[in-house]
Amino acid sequence: MGRTALVVGGGIGGLAAAIGLRRAGWEVAVVERSPVLADVGGGISLHANGVRALDALGVGEAIRAAARPQYSGGTRTPAGDWLIRMDGAAIERASGVPVFGVRWAELHRVLRAALPAGCLRVGAEVMSVERGGTAPARVSLASGAELEADLVVVADGVHSRLRGLLFPHHPGPAYSGSTVLRAVTEHPVTLTGDLELTWGKGAEFGHITFPDGRAEWHAVIKSPPGVRHADTLAALRRRFAGWHEPIPALLDATRPDAVLHHDIHELATPLPTFAVGPIALLGDAAHAMTPNLGQGAGQALEDATVLAAALATEPTVDAALARYDAERRPRTRTLVRAARQAGRAGHQLTHPTAITLRNTALRLTPSRLTVRAFLRHTNWTPPSLG
């Protein structure tokens, strides 16, 4: 089996794949098109499956040190009434792992630190890839340079250029019907819950907390694509006027230039395979999903772990990628569909009767069933990397 790999994309999934491949004995290079790795972005919640994948990759303890367990919170109405209470201790007892809140920049920093100097090359935009047949795959950069590798991992995100080249007849990412605005507060904020969501008519507001007392908040709004505002914070204050605290406090604790705004796209049409010759697709490039389950990063981390384990144990690259595809495609397809359904039942509801029926059903759901539902998609055990 070949032993050189090129990872296209230096995000969470790409770096995790590089770490896993190195642990499996591969020589790895990562190319990232962004010229500067700015430590920006919001935060993510890491569930049991993501934490276990990080443990398998050997960086779990470093992530725990940079993250904060989320023990309290739940889902509320705009008036502040509780629909679901989050029992973080019960989740930890059931799964053995708490839910963690971590800044994207911290997670990225920890993953970068696990790779040797020079492994990650920034400002290197990939334009095309040739499958290679019996020869190594060949990757062409915008600079004119060409790189060869026995394995290419495509981890260049939801708008992946290489996915479009590998699957020219696939429709590509579709707009989900929602847009997301998010930021990390400039200073600590007094909060009553670690991880909260609030569902209103056509909108959701949520937050997670970090070890330093600051918080990441997000606002998901049902909206046509491309809508932007001259004063984003003012627009958010109008949209969420009258919603309960700490929503106004979170907005007040945010610098205007810290707000990120992205329309949400997903791969609503599944790919026919995650492997084409010696090329594997991973993370959002393979199965971009809406954020309603908080599983985007978790699934990329699972991908990286399964890919590394398959390459560590199978006799050929072809056999390893066939196993990777067989293990990952059914699971991620289920989660893409479940995330979409969660959004439709959550922030995308606008009819008052539908909202009332949903809220009533949630209030009547026993706590044990809430915990079971929370863990339904996170009860995953990583394979051994050898």
Side-chain angles (χ1 to χ4, degrees):
M1 183 187 294
R3 287 295 174 182
T4 61
L6 180 70
V7 178
V8 181
I12 300 301
L15 295 183
I19 293 168
L21 290 171
R22 282 182 51 79
R23 289 177 67 88
W26 283 65
E27 180 182 340
V28 185
V30 183
V31 290
E32 165 57 42
R33 64 185 175 188
S34 298
V36 178
L37 289 175
D39 283 332
V40 296
I44 60 174
S45 55
L46 279 174
H47 302 270
N49 58 319
V51 176
R52 289 172 185 156
L54 290 164
D55 285 337
L57 295 170
V59 294
E61 288 306 313
I63 295 298
R64 285 175 172 83
R68 172 171 167 169
Q70 312 287 288
Y71 284 116
S72 62
T75 304
R76 306 169 79 174
T77 70
D81 300 324
W82 289 101
L83 300 174
I84 302 171
R85 291 277 193 173
M86 173 185 172
D87 188 343
I91 291 170
E92 184 176 12
R93 287 194 300 272
S95 66
V97 181
V99 179
F100 285 100
V102 63
R103 287 191 65 188
W104 186 93
E106 282 296 296
L107 176 55
H108 201 263
R109 177 189 60 78
V110 168
L111 295 176
R112 293 200 310 265
L115 294 171
C119 180
L120 173 61
R121 176 178 171 184
V122 300
E125 184 174 6
V126 174
M127 303 304 294
S128 65
V129 60
E130 295 180 13
R131 303 182 190 181
T134 57
R138 180 174 297 175
V139 173
S140 298
L141 304 182
S143 65
E146 291 191 343
L147 305 174
E148 291 187 347
D150 300 304
L151 169 72
V152 175
V153 179
V154 176
D156 55 347
V158 59
H159 298 291
S160 168
R161 177 200 297 272
L162 295 187
R163 182 186 60 231
L165 296 176
L166 294 169
F167 301 97
H169 302 297
H170 187 274
Y175 182 57
S176 68
S178 299
T179 192
V180 61
L181 301 95
R182 58 163 58 92
V184 176
T185 61
E186 187 175 13
H187 52 74
V189 179
T190 300
L191 301 169
T192 57
D194 298 322
L195 190 159
E196 288 188 9
L197 293 178
T198 299
W199 282 342
K201 182 180 179 181
E204 166 187 303
F205 198 101
H207 74 258
I208 58 177
T209 51
F210 301 135
D212 63 1
R214 292 190 296 166
E216 187 260 13
W217 58 260
H218 72 266
V220 183
I221 301 171
K222 189 174 182 179
S223 166
V227 176
R228 296 296 184 267
H229 306 281
D231 188 334
T232 303
L233 280 177
L236 287 168
R237 289 188 178 99
R238 289 192 299 270
R239 180 63 181 83
F240 294 97
W243 287 41
H244 65 82
E245 288 289 355
I247 292 170
L250 288 164
L251 295 176
D252 288 344
T254 302
R255 296 194 323 272
D257 62 354
V259 182
L260 305 176
H261 190 175
H262 301 289
D263 292 336
I264 300 171
H265 290 80
E266 61 169 332
L267 283 190
T269 301
L271 292 179
T273 179
F274 289 174
V276 180
I279 304 167
L281 290 96
L282 180 149
D284 283 349
H287 47 70
M289 62 188 69
T290 64
N292 303 94
L293 296 179
Q295 277 294 314
Q299 291 308 300
L301 293 169
E302 286 189 23
D303 288 347
T305 308
V306 171
L307 178 63
L311 287 161
T313 56
E314 296 296 331
T316 66
V317 170
D318 287 346
L321 296 194
R323 172 177 151 188
Y324 167 73
D325 178 62
E327 292 187 22
R328 295 305 302 154
R329 197 152 43 91
R331 174 161 167 77
T332 54
R333 181 177 295 191
T334 297
L335 282 161
V336 168
R337 183 169 55 249
R340 185 185 312 123
Q341 292 170 346
R344 289 173 177 170
H347 77 275
Q348 289 192 336
L349 281 187
T350 57
H351 195 285
T353 301
I355 292 172
T356 298
L357 290 173
R358 178 203 64 199
N359 291 355
T360 300
L362 291 175
R363 289 189 179 103
L364 294 174
T365 302
S367 177
R368 69 180 185 281
L369 296 183
T370 300
V371 171
R372 188 180 303 171
F374 191 90
L375 297 175
R376 180 181 306 150
H377 301 300
T378 66
N379 188 21
W380 176 85
T381 302
S384 172
L385 270 63

